Amino acid sequence: MIRNLQIEPTTRCNYRCVFCTRSGYSRSRIGDMSLESFKEIIHQFLPDLKYVKVQGMGEPMLCPQLREMLAYAKGVLLRTEVITNGSVFNKEIAEAIDILGISMSAGEATAYKKITGSDNFEEVLKNAYEYVGAIPFVWFNFVLTKNNLDQLEKLVDLALTYAIRYINVQPAQCWLTSQEKGYKKHKAFSPTEEVLPQIKRKAFEKGVTLHIVEYENRISCDFPATMPFVTWDGYLTPCCLRPNKDIFNFGNLLTEGLEAILRGEKYQSFVTSLKEGNFPALCKGCTL
């Protein structure tokens, strides 16, 4: 029974973040999900589905029909979450969002540009403040690399200024499998810092919750069974860390349908293996 789902509305993006693997995408992997496809996919997961997280390897706000997608999700009583870089503010879209995560991996403009390639630092902060007034829960996502640890405390102070009280600290992940070009380069972004608990304590004293995602040696995994990932063109993959349909997918929801995919040997054997702790090569280096 799948109650939670991640859907990728687009793979287009207006940023070039240093820790993102999207820069190596071929032209065939760039596109937008249509409203019709979104509706069809959501419909297949009902009535069990309760929550949809709209995010992926692109910037959701660039999807032409995002507003209509979210309105449809709310119309079928789903709780909605969007992960954005915050470069765009849209009041109509905000009205259909329950939770908004804003990627913010720096606490000052110079470092922000070095990480994202964008001069939008002040604009993003302005948009964040607008979103705080329009959405029930807004949080910052700080992608931690070996080069931006000094920015975390600065972001805590900014969060206070802009009425944000929760920061997720996520050590940079690798969305590539060992079979893909660039894997070793992106695996280098995996810092473990002893100073993090100190920063967390200081943030707590100021009234900001710092959630630090810690790597762990999993003995099992239920992501494909509880919150799988759907690519912009309808392919069901195990999770958001393994979004490349060309490397692995369970099937296409738009052509094969959910019921057939879930009953299929490929899905069943994969889910069973993870549940038993038998991780395939595909899952090597996973940080979820």
Side-chain angles (χ1 to χ4, degrees):
M1 185 181 296
I2 297 175
R3 295 182 179 275
N4 308 295
L5 188 65
Q6 299 188 66
I7 296 184
E8 178 178 68
T10 183
T11 47
R12 293 186 296 118
C13 191
N14 53 348
Y15 278 19
R16 296 292 180 270
C17 298
V18 295
F19 42 71
C20 184
T21 58
R22 183 193 164 280
S23 58
Y25 272 23
S26 63
R27 186 170 295 181
S28 64
R29 288 188 69 186
I30 306 298
D32 301 304
M33 179 176 284
S34 69
L35 176 60
E36 291 71 24
S37 294
F38 183 86
K39 287 181 176 181
E40 183 176 341
I41 289 166
I42 291 292
H43 181 73
Q44 292 184 49
F45 286 87
L46 295 175
D48 298 324
L49 191 64
K50 305 300 178 186
Y51 160 90
V52 61
K53 188 173 188 178
V54 180
Q55 61 105 25
M57 297 303 290
E59 168 50 46
M61 297 293 180
L62 298 184
C63 179
Q65 295 184 298
L66 180 64
R67 181 178 64 82
E68 292 86 352
M69 290 176 178
L70 292 170
Y72 175 77
K74 295 301 293 180
V76 292
L77 305 181
L78 298 184
R79 189 167 173 79
T80 59
E81 181 170 10
V82 174
I83 308 297
T84 175
N85 60 31
S87 62
V88 176
F89 175 75
N90 186 306
K91 186 176 182 180
E92 290 183 331
I93 289 177
E95 290 173 352
I97 299 174
D98 294 306
I99 305 170
L100 184 75
I102 300 175
S103 297
M104 184 60 97
S105 299
E108 58 186 10
T110 301
Y112 185 82
K113 183 174 182 179
K114 191 176 293 185
I115 291 169
T116 66
S118 170
D119 288 314
N120 281 354
F121 183 72
E122 296 296 338
E123 185 69 20
V124 171
L125 290 177
K126 176 185 172 185
N127 290 342
Y129 186 74
E130 296 289 345
Y131 278 126
V132 167
I135 295 172
F137 185 65
V138 178
W139 55 281
F140 279 150
N141 190 61
F142 184 94
V143 178
L144 177 66
T145 76
K146 58 187 177 183
N147 300 315
N148 70 341
L149 180 62
D150 65 312
Q151 294 294 308
L152 185 52
E153 285 194 73
K154 296 175 182 178
L155 184 62
V156 169
D157 291 334
L158 274 179
L160 281 168
T161 301
Y162 290 89
I164 290 175
R165 297 291 182 268
Y166 184 91
I167 301 174
N168 185 65
V169 181
Q170 171 70 63
Q173 305 170 87
C174 183
W175 292 272
L176 302 175
T177 65
S178 56
Q179 302 163 261
E180 296 174 83
K181 184 179 178 181
Y183 174 76
K184 290 184 177 179
K185 170 189 172 184
H186 286 280
K187 281 299 290 178
F189 288 114
S190 299
T192 302
E193 301 290 347
E194 294 181 2
V195 72
L196 285 175
Q198 299 173 26
I199 299 175
K200 181 177 182 178
R201 186 177 63 254
K202 289 180 181 178
F204 179 78
E205 291 170 354
K206 292 179 179 180
V208 176
T209 298
L210 223 62
H211 174 251
I212 301 171
V213 179
E214 298 179 359
Y215 294 142
E216 59 181 346
N217 295 316
R218 281 183 173 271
I219 59 173
S220 65
C221 176
D222 63 357
F223 263 89
T226 59
M227 193 163 71
F229 182 83
V230 183
T231 64
W232 68 272
D233 47 356
Y235 286 90
L236 188 70
T237 73
C239 65
C240 60
L241 268 187
R242 295 296 176 257
N244 190 344
K245 65 180 182 186
D246 298 327
I247 295 296
F248 184 88
N249 71 80
F250 296 118
N252 192 294
L253 292 163
L254 300 172
T255 57
E256 300 168 58
L258 178 64
E259 189 175 342
I261 291 173
L262 297 187
R263 285 204 314 257
E265 170 61 23
K266 192 174 187 179
Y267 179 83
Q268 288 291 328
S269 61
F270 193 92
V271 169
T272 300
S273 292
L274 292 192
K275 192 177 295 185
E276 295 173 349
N278 299 318
F279 297 99
L282 177 76
C283 299
K284 181 182 178 182
C286 176
T287 57
L288 288 178

